Amino acid sequence: MTDKNQDQLVFLPLGGSNEVGMNLNAYGFGAAHDRKWILVDVGVTFGDLSTPGVDIIVPDPEFLKGETILGIVLTHAHEDHIGALPWLMPQLDAPLYATPFTAFLIREKLRDRGNLKDVKVKEVPLGGTIDLGPFQVELVSMAHSIAEPNGLAIRTPLGTVLHTGDWKIDPDPVVGHKTDTAALTRIGDEGVLAMVCDSTNVFVDGRAGSEGDVAVGLEDLIKPLKGRVAVGCFASNVARVHSVVRAAEAAGRRVVLAGRSMHRITAAARHVGLLDDLPPFLTEDEARVWPADQILYLCTGSQGEARAALSRVADGTHPFIKLGLGDHCIFSSRVIPGNELSIGALQDRLADRGVRLYTERDHPNIHVSGHPCRDELKDMYDWVRPRIAVPTHGVRRFLMEHANLAKDFGVPETVTPRNGDLVLLAPGQPGIIDEVPNGRLYVDGGMLVTEAGEALRERRHAASNGVLVVSFAMDRRGKIMSDIDVRGIGLPGDPNTPLGDALDDLAERVEQVVRGLKGEALEDELVVEQAVARALKKASQQIWDRRPIVETVILRL
């Protein structure tokens, strides 16, 4: 047990631990009642069938309100690391620090949200340092599936923490730097108290593979193809964009960008000089008159996103890309867990148009992961040699496996926190010493709402149980003065009990319930509405095995 009045170095994951995505990590230094904090990454995750109407989910920063935040350091520009900034910056009043490519994209996000003028975005050169009170942060160049990824060597009076961010070891990254093994070894030689490390591929043996090999694979695949060719990939993977353009050149094709994020990312890359060696892209208007077999369309939407370019191509609604029999679509990306259904549906629609599909399952050399596999993790632990391993960025079984792997590599101590667990790193024995308020906020209708918000709860209820809307007129004494109209939304018909007949039966139930009320109860609309709702929920349970939302509209005459 440590003295709460002495300085402590703590780590607090509020997003990204125990799940994939939505990274928000806090490091605190000082006495328990007066800590200074830095934040590392502020990202999003995305909605699914359990969050109808919600596309974006962000970490809840409630605990950090009123705390002293010295700065927010961004490791790289993927959405799960920077995507929440436009939504949370009004609550996180601190300057942002990022390398030029990431800073460009952050400014674009803040500008779209209308709060760029209220946020200080400070550019840091690759390999630069940031002084934030008791924290000195050194940026370490890494390889990953985006430009300018960084690990962070966070030096404090009680020891150094290496926060790896997302990374891999790539001998030929095509664009950008290799992982700076010399810097990692130097930091390890100086002594590392703890390493907070990526767990995404902890169950995958071997190594992730090189973007250089993908460049060769794409060229070999594209060169002999005839007809129209589209390639779907993550827009953020600038190296992959570079490789696709070079493969198109080798095949005598020019490249057309399709999708907003593809234009935005390539603009950011051009801004920092990463794609200067490539020919200019064709515009959409130029593509309309260019021979089809001399064009390659580089598209967003490889994960089946409904409004992205590939989905519109598959639906036949894209304004200038039309694919059909004899054409080709290459998916130069992996299937992110949770997206299997949407990707499968997208590929089915393309196949139905006669488009031939190519994926990493049948052409494994057209995609590699951006995260470290087991052999790369061993290399990292050999270079850094931390005293404490803190796995992050993965669901629970990934974190536990990573902790076991770190022990096999000879790391003396491991801690596997959940979101909200406050981890003591120094002084003394490392471990979880507290749990702070944590959770998720949903972006719903352009507003942030809590997980337990009434609107989302009702939407979930309606999605699984349907809705009944009841309307009728009553006089002041409670006498029904009109027909009772019952309408169902999302409720099934039945061969033996058609929906219309069922609704007529429910209308009779409403009349019986209202006639059964006496005296003052008939004058209180809330009492009438509650009585109607109880009766119709019970009846619906018998008819449909559902308990729908019941909305009652009473017109008083």
Side-chain angles (χ1 to χ4, degrees):
M1 183 70 67
T2 60
D3 181 354
K4 291 187 177 181
N5 291 316
Q6 73 178 141
D7 285 343
Q8 297 176 341
L9 174 60
V10 297
F11 169 66
L12 173 63
L14 289 172
S17 185
N18 222 42
E19 62 189 308
V20 177
M22 201 178 74
N23 290 274
L24 174 55
N25 305 284
Y27 292 89
F29 186 88
H33 62 280
D34 186 29
R35 287 197 181 102
K36 306 292 191 297
W37 297 89
I38 63 169
L39 308 186
V40 175
D41 295 335
V42 185
V44 301
T45 191
F46 299 99
D48 54 26
L49 293 177
S50 69
T51 58
V54 171
D55 293 327
I56 297 174
I57 302 170
V58 305
D60 188 346
E62 177 66 28
F63 171 76
L64 296 171
K65 291 179 181 177
E67 296 289 318
T68 302
I69 303 173
L70 302 175
I72 302 171
V73 185
L74 292 314
T75 61
H76 65 285
H78 274 143
E79 285 295 297
D80 57 338
H81 293 258
I82 68 168
L85 288 171
W87 302 100
L88 296 186
M89 282 314 296
Q91 302 176 48
L92 302 175
D93 185 18
L96 306 178
Y97 296 86
T99 53
F101 177 84
T102 303
F104 180 97
L105 292 173
I106 289 171
R107 290 191 184 98
E108 291 295 300
K109 285 183 168 296
L110 294 172
R111 184 178 291 111
D112 286 349
R113 183 66 182 160
N115 53 11
L116 176 59
K117 67 181 185 303
D118 301 321
V119 181
K120 294 180 180 178
V121 182
K122 300 188 176 184
E123 287 192 17
V124 185
L126 297 177
T129 59
I130 309 164
D131 288 316
L132 296 170
F135 303 95
Q136 185 190 59
V137 183
E138 176 187 353
L139 275 60
V140 181
S141 292
M142 307 291 256
H144 183 42
S145 54
I146 196 169
E148 298 183 0
N150 300 278
L152 308 176
I154 304 170
R155 295 182 173 87
T156 78
L158 292 179
T160 297
V161 178
L162 180 69
H163 188 104
T164 66
D166 292 356
W167 65 281
K168 63 183 284 187
I169 299 170
D170 190 338
D172 182 12
V174 177
V175 169
H177 297 277
K178 301 177 183 179
T179 293
D180 192 344
T181 59
L184 293 169
T185 303
R186 168 177 54 79
I187 293 164
D189 290 343
E190 295 170 0
V192 172
L193 172 67
M195 183 163 71
V196 178
C197 187
D198 182 357
S199 307
T200 305
N201 281 344
V202 70
F203 286 104
V204 182
D205 290 326
R207 298 180 179 276
S210 175
E211 284 292 335
D213 294 334
V214 174
V216 174
L218 286 169
E219 182 173 330
D220 290 344
L221 176 59
I222 292 170
K223 199 167 187 178
L225 297 180
K226 304 299 181 183
R228 297 176 178 86
V229 175
V231 177
C233 70
F234 295 111
S236 58
N237 194 335
V238 177
R240 193 68 53 83
V241 170
H242 189 283
S243 296
V244 170
V245 175
R246 286 299 188 210
E249 273 192 301
R253 295 176 182 266
R254 294 285 299 278
V255 173
V256 183
L257 301 180
R260 183 184 179 195
S261 61
M262 197 66 74
H263 286 276
R264 176 171 287 187
I265 292 290
T266 54
R270 297 270 198 200
H271 176 73
V272 298
L274 289 179
L275 297 178
D276 287 349
D277 61 330
L278 296 183
F281 300 109
L282 286 180
T283 67
E284 296 176 6
D285 286 339
E286 290 170 333
R288 294 178 194 276
V289 297
W290 206 269
D293 60 357
Q294 295 179 27
I295 287 180
L296 183 145
Y297 301 104
L298 186 52
C299 304
T300 61
S302 64
Q303 297 303 299
E305 301 96 321
R307 293 182 292 275
L310 274 183
S311 187
R312 288 183 289 157
V313 172
D315 292 338
T317 59
H318 197 281
F320 69 91
I321 304 177
K322 308 297 179 185
L323 297 185
L325 187 64
D327 296 332
H328 312 269
C329 185
I330 299 167
F331 285 77
S332 183
S333 60
R334 74 181 181 97
V335 176
I336 293 178
N339 292 344
E340 294 87 352
L341 292 178
S342 59
I343 294 173
L346 168 65
Q347 293 177 349
D348 283 344
R349 299 199 307 276
L350 287 167
D352 196 43
R353 290 182 171 275
V355 179
R356 185 171 179 181
L357 306 177
Y358 308 82
T359 73
E360 65 168 339
R361 285 172 296 184
D362 47 78
H363 290 76
N365 58 346
I366 62 172
H367 176 70
V368 292
S369 174
H371 298 272
C373 299
R374 292 171 79 93
D375 287 355
E376 291 158 285
L377 287 169
K378 184 179 187 308
D379 288 343
M380 180 65 80
Y381 280 99
D382 286 344
W383 296 324
V384 178
R385 292 149 284 157
R387 184 166 72 84
I388 309 165
V390 186
T392 190
H393 209 335
V395 294
R396 195 67 190 160
R397 67 183 183 276
F398 285 59
L399 304 188
M400 300 305 294
E401 177 65 15
H402 190 159
N404 291 331
L405 198 64
K407 290 176 183 176
D408 293 343
F409 295 154
V411 179
E413 304 281 355
T414 64
V415 184
T416 54
R418 292 178 168 85
N419 288 335
D421 285 344
L422 186 66
V423 179
L424 176 69
L425 298 177
Q429 181 68 24
I432 296 168
I433 58 172
D434 200 358
E435 182 181 1
V436 309
N438 68 96
R440 295 171 156 206
L441 299 175
Y442 296 103
V443 179
D444 191 7
M447 298 180 288
L448 287 179
V449 300
T450 64
E451 288 184 89
E454 183 70 13
L456 187 58
R457 186 190 67 79
E458 288 190 346
R459 206 177 302 143
R460 286 176 177 140
H461 191 154
S464 58
N465 290 276
V467 179
L468 287 172
V469 180
V470 183
S471 59
F472 56 93
M474 295 177 69
D475 66 14
R476 295 295 174 184
R477 293 171 296 175
K479 182 179 179 180
I480 297 175
M481 303 297 291
S482 70
D483 291 337
I484 298 172
D485 184 43
V486 181
R487 301 191 180 188
I489 302 172
L491 291 165
D494 182 272
N496 300 315
T497 308
L499 180 59
D501 291 348
L503 297 181
D504 289 342
D505 291 343
L506 293 179
E508 292 181 10
R509 294 279 188 108
V510 172
E511 184 173 6
Q512 293 169 8
V513 167
V514 174
R515 291 187 186 281
L517 297 175
K518 303 297 182 184
E520 293 182 357
L522 287 169
E523 299 174 9
D524 188 332
E525 290 185 10
L526 180 59
V527 172
V528 177
E529 290 173 5
Q530 290 174 340
V532 169
R534 284 195 299 269
L536 294 196
K537 285 178 184 290
K538 183 176 179 180
S540 298
Q541 186 76 45
Q542 296 169 345
I543 298 171
W544 296 294
D545 194 25
R546 297 281 190 276
R547 293 183 65 83
I549 292 174
V550 178
E551 287 294 321
T552 304
V553 180
I554 300 173
L555 175 63
R556 287 286 187 179
L557 300 178

